[in-house]
């Protein structure tokens, strides 16, 4: 990584953290107001009238929590889901559903925590940033003030004092550059810890629904792959073989009418045959790479890393020597690495990347890291969605961590046991 790229990423992350903390501070002030309002509504609910206001008040709380799920999720580079129970019907029914929903009380705990941490984070961000700017510019404005202020317990009555104070501003600026991203990360992790679903066991119906979706996506991906293969064969090998057939017909006619043209036409037919064979080989490799079939996933990963446009390091770890996963699982792992490296080359702006491949008795673990600009998302059209769909077809796990400014880390687990 060059010094210029590192500096740009550092500045970008600092600016993103400053914006994050200022936004969190603004919503934290609203959270204090919301806490008092909810306390009033809860108090009125005891005597009756507050029950009419309770559903709408808790709906606003849910919307605020959902906003921060998306807000913190963008910073962390991963989605934070919600698990609210649907509240429909009359006012009293909605109030009962919301009051018996565990997510309501985690939202209330988050609201209190956010009001405190958000305010402290914004105060630190503004204090350090404004202080750094004010003290760094002291040599510029101290002469314009009729009575120079006293900073750090000494009066500013000379250029030496003004320059000395600017070094204090430099220390403030360095502290801001390092502390603000850390504070933003802490707030985002707090939001994730409090607002993510608490249910560890999904219901059978939800599990069946998830499996139905992943199997449907797998079938859709399979159909799309068949259409691609058919198109490649039609446009490549089939077109070449038709040309060869036509050339042979012309050669038969030339044999009778103009035998002198036969050598040239034979050379042309041979060239067309070679082109058709090359096209056929490309189509076959796209279905199941020969290196994967003949030498296994490790050698196939080495071939992908060697062909990568970005300098890439490969880390291989084996817990079982000799044993191989099912062919379909190895193919999925191969295409995950291939698509991830293609993503890095096309979209990340990275200068180097790393692929880690670890195989155990029942799983294949893949990790692809790059030092690019970050900000990748599963729904951004950059190929991550295709990776998730392919992995989900095997009931695997895909995790993406790509905060703004980078780095980006993609982790995939594929089960390969029986």
């Amino acid at each position: 990584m060059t010094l210029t790229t590192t500096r740009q990423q550092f500045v970008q992350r600092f600016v993103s953290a400053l914006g994050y903390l200022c936004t969190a501070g603004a919503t934290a002030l609203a959270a204090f107001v919301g806490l008092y309002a909810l306390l009033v509504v809860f108090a009125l609910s005891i005597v009756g009238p507050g029950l009419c206001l309770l559903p709408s008040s808790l709906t606003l709380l849910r919307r605020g929590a959902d906003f921060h799920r998306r807000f913190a999720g963008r910073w962390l580079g991963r989605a934070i889901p919600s698990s609210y129970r649907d509240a429909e019907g009359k006012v009293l029914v909605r109030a009962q559903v919301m009051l018996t929903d565990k997510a309501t009380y985690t939202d209330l705990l988050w609201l209190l925590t956010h009001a405190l941490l958000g305010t402290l984070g914004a105060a630190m961000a503004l204090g350090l940033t404004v202080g750094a700017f004010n003290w760094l510019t002291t040599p510029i404005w101290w002469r314009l003030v009729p009575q120079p202020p006293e900073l750090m317990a000494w009066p500013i009555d000379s250029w030496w004092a003004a320059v000395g104070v600017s070094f204090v501003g430099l220390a403030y600026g360095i502290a801001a550059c390092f502390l603000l991203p850390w504070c933003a990360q802490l707030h985002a992790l707090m939001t994730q810890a409090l607002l993510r679903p608490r249910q560890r066991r999904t219901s059978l119906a939800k599990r069946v629904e998830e499996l139905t979706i992943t199997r449907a996506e797998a079938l859709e991906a399979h159909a799309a792959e068949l259409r691609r293969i058919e198109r490649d064969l039609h446009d490549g090998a089939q077109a070449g073989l038709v040309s060869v057939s036509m050339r042979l017909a012309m050669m038969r006619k030339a044999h009778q009418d103009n035998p002198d043209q036969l050598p040239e036409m034979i050379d042309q037919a041979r060239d067309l045959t070679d082109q058709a064979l090359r096209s056929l080989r490309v189509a076959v490799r796209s279905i199941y790479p020969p290196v994967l079939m003949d030498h296994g996933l490790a050698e196939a990963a080495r071939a992908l890393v060697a062909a990568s446009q970005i300098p890439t390091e490969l880390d291989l770890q084996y817990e079982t020597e000799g044993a191989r996963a099912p062919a379909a699982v190895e193919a999925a792992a191969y295409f995950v690495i291939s698509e991830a490296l293609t993503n890095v080359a096309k979209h990340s702006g990275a200068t180097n990347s790393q692929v880690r491949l670890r195989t155990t008795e029942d799983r294949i673990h893949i990790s692809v890291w790059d030092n690019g600009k970050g900000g990748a998302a599963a729904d951004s059209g950059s190929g991550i969605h295709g990776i998730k769909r392919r992995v989900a077809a095997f009931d695997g796990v895909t995790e993406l961590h790509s905060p703004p400014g980078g780095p980006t880390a993609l982790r995939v687990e594929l089960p390969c046991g029986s």
Side-chain angles (χ1 to χ4, degrees), residues 79-156:
I80 303 176
S82 60
S83 60
Y84 296 118
R85 293 171 56 188
D86 294 332
E88 299 178 352
K90 296 182 180 181
V91 173
L92 293 180
V93 176
R94 292 168 57 200
Q96 181 181 6
V97 170
M98 289 183 169
L99 287 175
T100 55
D101 189 354
K102 293 181 179 180
T104 298
Y105 300 98
T106 57
D107 284 356
L108 289 172
L109 178 60
W110 165 81
L111 190 66
L112 175 61
T113 309
H114 169 60
L116 297 174
L117 289 183
T119 304
L120 291 175
M124 175 183 292
L126 292 176
L128 290 176
T129 306
V130 173
F133 176 80
N134 185 37
W135 288 14
L136 281 171
T137 57
T138 300
I140 300 175
W141 56 259
W142 74 277
R143 273 293 198 182
L144 304 177
V145 180
Q147 294 182 351
E150 292 188 2
L151 300 176
M152 293 296 292
W154 71 77
I156 303 177

Side-chain angles (χ1 to χ4, degrees), residues 38 40-58 90-99:
L38 285 173
V40 172
V41 170
F42 281 131
L44 293 176
S45 299
I46 298 176
V47 294
L51 289 175
C52 298
L53 299 174
L54 191 59
S56 57
S57 301
L58 294 179
K90 296 182 180 181
V91 173
L92 293 180
V93 176
R94 292 168 57 200
Q96 181 181 6
V97 170
M98 289 183 169
L99 287 175

Side-chain angles (χ1 to χ4, degrees), residues 36 62 70 81 125 138 184 221 237 254 263 278 308 313-314 321 328 335 337 373 396 413:
Y36 285 114
R62 288 185 174 187
R70 296 189 297 271
T138 300
R278 284 195 296 269
S308 176
E313 176 188 352
L314 178 63
E321 292 291 342
F335 285 109
I337 299 173
K373 61 186 178 182
E413 288 185 11

Side-chain angles (χ1 to χ4, degrees), residues 361-372:
E361 292 184 357
D362 59 348
R363 285 189 176 269
I364 296 177
H365 302 263
I366 301 169
S367 176
V368 181
W369 174 92
D370 69 77
N371 65 343

Side-chain angles (χ1 to χ4, degrees), residues 30 37 83-84 139 149 157 184 190 208 211 225 230 239 271 287 313-314 321-322 361 369 375 380 394 398 403 413:
S83 60
Y84 296 118
D157 52 6
M190 178 276 296
V208 170
L211 291 175
E225 189 73 7
E230 180 183 7
D271 293 338
I287 300 172
E313 176 188 352
L314 178 63
E321 292 291 342
E361 292 184 357
W369 174 92
S380 63
F394 293 88
T398 304
E413 288 185 11

